[in-house]
Amino acid sequence: MINRMFCLSVLTAIATCAALLPASAWSQARAPLLIEGKTTLFQRVLTRPGATLAPAAGAAPGKPVPTFSAYYVYGHGKAGGQDWLQIGGSTDGKSLAWLKASDSVPWQHTIIAAFANPTDRQSVLFFRQRDGLMSALAADPPALDRLRKDAQAARAAANEGPVLATEPAAWVDLHKRFYMLPVLEASTVLARNGAKVRAVRIASVTHDGAPQARPAAPSVVNEEGIANFKSAVVFVVDATSSMQPYIDRARSAMEAILKEAEQAKVNDRIRFGIAAFQDDPAKTKGVEYLTKIFAEPSQRLNREQFLAAMQKVTATRSSTRAFAEDSYAALDLTARQIDWRAYGGRYVVFVTDASAREGNSPLASTRLSTEQMRTQLQERGIALYVMHLKTPDGAKDHALATEQYRRLSDWPGRGPLYYPVEAGDPAKFEADVKRLAKSLVDQVRNPQALLKVQKRPEAQTDGRTAPDAMESSTAAVGRAMVLAYLGREQSTSAPPMYEAWASDRDLQNPDIASLAVRVLLTKNQLSDLQTTLRRLVELGEKQQLDGGNLFNQLRSAAAALHRAPERIAQGQVKDLQASGLMGEYLDGLPYRSDLMAMTPARWASLPVGEAQAMLDKLKSKIALYQRFHDDVDRWVKLNDAAADGDRVYPVPLDSLP
């Protein structure tokens, strides 16, 4: 009896405390609802224009929220004949509120689209219906020109037409002003020329913009403030033993260019920097440094000071450990250490006579592959010009370096910014440096002229560099830089609209991307992805050494990573995606992954070289994810109540495994 009475007293006390505690105290232990069929992915919604939060289902409207804020779903309810959702800004169960279901859009995958680099492409058209987009994809160039003119006329007259909105003329910078183009639906279709494009249904746009009843008319480039356009140009120079004649020539060229900038009175609007690389001094006798920055654009050096800094760049007399150099270490340092934010034009001029060590090389310090190095540069809006000195001593290396540097310098919509110097001719090299630097000086002298540059690239079917390729490419890239600068300075927003259809490739030229698809991953998901890939690499390398079946080894790996090892029963796994080892946040993404589609039979049949190449590729992506993780300025909160752990990073779709 005593025990029974004691238990009743305890239960009564607990019930009394529960009645006195606020709801938020109990909600701390709650988790959002899972997506049906998932074990780790929570239900999410995006808010429609005009949405408000209420303290309870059916209560009077409360706090308004920005259009397309993202919330987790904790529960469902009905009130006043309407469906309601209980939502929270983070996964900790705190600060819950209620939202009309009609004021939300389900968002199963955190996929967004961003406007691709504007070089040599038309502005994106957003269509009211999928049929309108399909008609445009089948249209020839004259018909597309008429469509754009008709759309502009219809919008000016406030008439309905197939085009709902147009991309702003000044480029919208996702880095400076985060915006939302949530992808609700995607499918692959064929364009007029047979190219595969992705038709996407995209929802509302601005992360912090006020809702508008009708999309605004297409914007035009507002040139106000363009006179303040500034550029930073950093030379990254190979300072190994064979390079002293070219270092001297580069200094001579820069002396002439700096003098010209002073005479044109633009020396305050174009700033130069200089970095160099040799090899790891801890492992190579006689070298002074692996990589070093001798002058930064932010130092605002005058001509004499900059030339004095260049004078300190001298080639080492010692040989490095291989003909291929650790040049990506210098590019990595230049991209991350130099503050590029003050400059509209962002350029790196890379000078070398040798190929670069890829991330799979034991002598490579960054572990980054060419593709990941290019991604890091372009994520920061940096255009890379490669001057490859094809000296006789490096004849056996020329083919490898050419292919590598064409990929490294590939600028979206324009192609490789690769300029070989045949036979390593020092005079030709100096002339090329002068020509490139002069073009960049002319840009800051008259940035308005860049807006009149033709968007269409010249046809170069033979793969060779046309005589005027440097000038035309520099002008096209400069135009993209100016548009990006205007977008940042004018805080250009994405067009305010609700749902529409668009193509991820340029309607006129489907070879050029118009939308870049990104996946918003939380810090936990990005960390989980790194951990999973590291384990997968370990298993792959162990299987190569010890033999055995890689897929049979995934069971223990899945258990260690708190996955579902029962999904990896022998004979039941058709590919890696179905194994359960990879995170559910990768399921159903609109891209094809050779890794995720890897089957046991395919892996077993891979030659050793191909299998190792795939593992090396994963190692390089792991290194890139670490740089994403460390890029603190790019982590975004999708609503005001989101916890730090719920911040997301816009990972490029092509960077996923």
Side-chain angles (χ1 to χ4, degrees):
M1 176 68 70
I2 293 176
N3 290 340
R4 183 170 180 270
M5 291 298 296
F6 177 75
C7 291
L8 287 173
S9 299
V10 172
L11 292 173
T12 301
I14 291 174
T16 303
C17 289
L20 295 175
L21 284 173
S24 60
W26 285 94
S27 67
Q28 290 180 11
R30 292 183 59 186
L33 300 177
L34 290 168
I35 295 174
E36 185 176 356
K38 304 296 182 183
T39 60
T40 60
L41 293 184
F42 298 122
Q43 294 182 26
R44 276 184 154 188
V45 294
L46 298 166
T47 55
R48 292 176 181 264
T52 59
L53 302 184
K63 179 183 176 183
V65 292
T67 302
F68 276 71
S69 296
Y71 288 94
Y72 294 96
V73 179
Y74 281 81
H76 298 266
K78 276 188 174 292
Q82 292 183 311
D83 292 326
W84 288 74
L85 301 175
Q86 188 178 33
I87 61 170
S90 61
T91 55
D92 58 11
K94 298 178 181 179
S95 304
L96 302 185
W98 288 84
L99 173 74
K100 288 182 183 178
S102 58
D103 285 342
S104 71
V105 177
W107 198 27
Q108 298 285 13
H109 286 287
T110 52
I111 306 173
I112 64 170
F115 294 114
N117 188 285
T119 310
D120 291 327
R121 68 169 175 84
Q122 300 288 337
S123 58
V124 179
L125 297 181
F126 295 93
F127 295 85
R128 299 178 189 278
Q129 304 294 334
R130 188 176 189 274
D131 289 347
L133 171 61
M134 297 307 295
S135 296
L137 288 171
D140 56 22
L144 288 172
D145 290 338
R146 290 194 298 272
L147 175 66
R148 289 181 179 277
K149 291 178 181 178
D150 291 345
Q152 187 172 3
R155 292 173 63 81
N159 294 331
E160 297 294 328
V163 177
L164 176 64
T166 305
E167 175 189 0
W171 188 56
V172 189
D173 188 350
L174 184 72
H175 302 184
K176 179 73 176 288
R177 182 180 174 87
F178 181 79
Y179 59 89
M180 294 280 283
L181 281 172
V183 176
L184 305 180
E185 185 178 344
S187 60
T188 300
V189 298
L190 294 179
R192 177 181 56 86
N193 65 350
K196 290 184 178 181
V197 304
R198 190 175 288 116
V200 292
R201 182 167 66 93
I202 291 175
S204 188
V205 183
T206 53
H207 177 56
D208 57 356
Q212 297 187 17
R214 177 177 178 80
S219 60
V220 296
V221 174
N222 179 1
E223 297 185 16
E224 183 179 354
I226 198 173
N228 295 321
F229 179 81
K230 298 178 181 179
S231 289
V233 184
V234 178
F235 285 82
V236 175
V237 179
D238 185 340
T240 55
S241 57
S242 59
M243 289 295 296
Q244 191 59 50
Y246 302 101
I247 295 172
D248 294 339
R249 291 280 188 162
R251 186 176 183 278
S252 175
M254 286 308 302
E255 184 172 11
I257 290 300
L258 290 168
K259 185 178 295 185
E260 181 175 336
E262 287 179 354
Q263 292 172 349
K265 297 182 179 180
V266 295
N267 52 305
D268 193 47
R269 291 171 49 205
I270 183 166
R271 290 292 172 181
F272 293 93
I274 182 76
F277 59 90
Q278 294 178 349
D279 206 345
D280 187 347
K283 299 176 182 178
T284 310
K285 291 183 179 180
V287 302
E288 300 176 49
Y289 51 82
L290 171 59
T291 182
K292 183 177 180 179
I293 295 177
F294 289 83
E296 296 191 29
S298 60
Q299 292 176 288
R300 303 173 64 85
L301 304 180
N302 60 31
R303 175 160 53 102
E304 291 75 16
Q305 290 170 326
F306 182 79
L307 292 175
M310 283 197 75
Q311 188 70 43
K312 296 177 182 178
V313 181
T314 57
T316 178
R317 295 182 179 181
S318 301
S319 297
T320 53
R321 290 173 289 172
F323 193 84
E325 306 293 355
D326 199 5
S327 50
Y328 288 177
L331 293 176
D332 185 42
L333 181 70
T334 300
R336 295 200 288 166
Q337 180 169 307
I338 288 177
D339 187 356
W340 297 93
R341 292 173 296 180
Y343 304 99
R346 302 169 184 180
Y347 303 96
V348 168
V349 181
F350 177 48
V351 181
T352 185
D353 65 350
S355 59
R357 297 168 187 168
E358 288 285 355
N360 61 352
S361 168
L363 305 182
S365 61
T366 66
R367 317 305 300 173
L368 292 173
S369 72
T370 295
E371 282 67 29
Q372 272 70 63
M373 190 68 251
R374 182 185 66 228
T375 296
Q376 183 176 195
L377 290 168
Q378 293 184 0
E379 282 290 285
R380 289 169 168 77
I382 301 169
L384 177 74
Y385 286 83
V386 176
M387 290 190 171
H388 177 203
L389 305 165
K390 302 178 80 170
T391 59
D393 289 344
K396 294 181 179 179
D397 184 66
H398 290 171
L400 172 63
T402 297
E403 188 274 335
Q404 185 182 51
Y405 291 143
R406 287 181 66 84
R407 287 186 288 122
L408 178 67
S409 65
D410 189 46
W411 182 258
R414 191 66 195 186
L417 305 178
Y418 169 77
Y419 303 98
V421 179
E422 297 298 336
D425 181 354
K428 171 71 162 52
F429 166 69
E430 182 177 347
D432 283 351
V433 171
K434 286 182 179 178
R435 202 150 51 99
L436 175 58
K438 184 179 185 305
S439 295
L440 299 179
V441 169
D442 288 342
Q443 286 184 8
V444 297
R445 180 185 298 169
N446 184 17
Q448 292 89 345
L450 292 170
L451 299 176
K452 301 176 178 61
V453 172
Q454 293 296 317
K455 297 182 182 180
R456 299 290 183 84
E458 297 81 1
Q460 295 181 26
T461 57
D462 60 0
R464 293 182 300 171
T465 305
D468 65 343
M470 182 180 290
E471 286 81 358
S472 62
S473 290
T474 303
V477 173
R479 178 180 183 277
M481 295 283 187
V482 169
L483 290 174
Y485 167 79
L486 287 173
R488 287 191 295 269
E489 292 302 302
Q490 298 168 8
S491 295
T492 305
S493 298
M497 60 169 207
Y498 184 51
E499 289 185 18
W501 287 87
S503 167
D504 74 331
R505 314 297 295 183
D506 185 65
L507 293 175
Q508 297 273 20
N509 185 355
D511 292 333
I512 300 176
S514 58
L515 294 173
V517 180
R518 295 172 181 264
V519 182
L520 302 180
L521 295 184
T522 66
K523 285 191 174 182
N524 288 339
Q525 289 173 333
L526 192 61
S527 176
D528 173 82
L529 188 56
Q530 284 182 283
T531 301
T532 302
L533 293 187
R534 286 193 185 100
R535 185 58 178 147
L536 191 57
V537 168
E538 290 172 6
L539 289 175
E541 292 183 335
K542 182 177 185 298
Q543 186 266 339
Q544 286 185 318
L545 292 174
D546 303 338
N549 189 310
L550 172 66
F551 279 74
N552 287 342
Q553 298 175 24
L554 295 180
R555 182 190 298 272
S556 60
L561 294 169
H562 305 289
R563 303 287 194 261
E566 65 276 5
R567 293 176 60 181
I568 317 179
Q570 188 172 1
Q572 296 181 5
V573 176
K574 65 176 183 178
D575 55 32
L576 186 59
Q577 182 166 347
S579 71
L581 183 67
M582 307 303 289
E584 288 183 320
Y585 45 82
L586 298 180
D587 292 347
L589 294 178
Y591 80 117
R592 172 168 177 77
S593 165
D594 291 338
L595 174 69
M596 300 288 279
M598 182 63 66
T599 65
R602 170 66 177 147
W603 177 261
S605 68
L606 280 180
V608 174
E610 287 188 30
Q612 187 59 50
M614 180 168 284
L615 295 176
D616 291 339
K617 194 173 184 180
L618 293 183
K619 291 179 184 178
S620 187
K621 292 197 178 216
I622 292 169
L624 181 65
Y625 299 156
Q626 187 60 47
R627 282 158 176 78
F628 289 164
H629 178 275
D630 297 341
D631 191 2
V632 294
D633 292 337
R634 296 283 304 282
W635 287 93
V636 178
K637 295 177 90 172
L638 294 180
N639 64 75
D640 294 338
D644 285 343
D646 291 301
R647 290 177 182 267
V648 295
Y649 191 94
V651 178
L653 188 65
D654 293 340
S655 295
L656 291 173

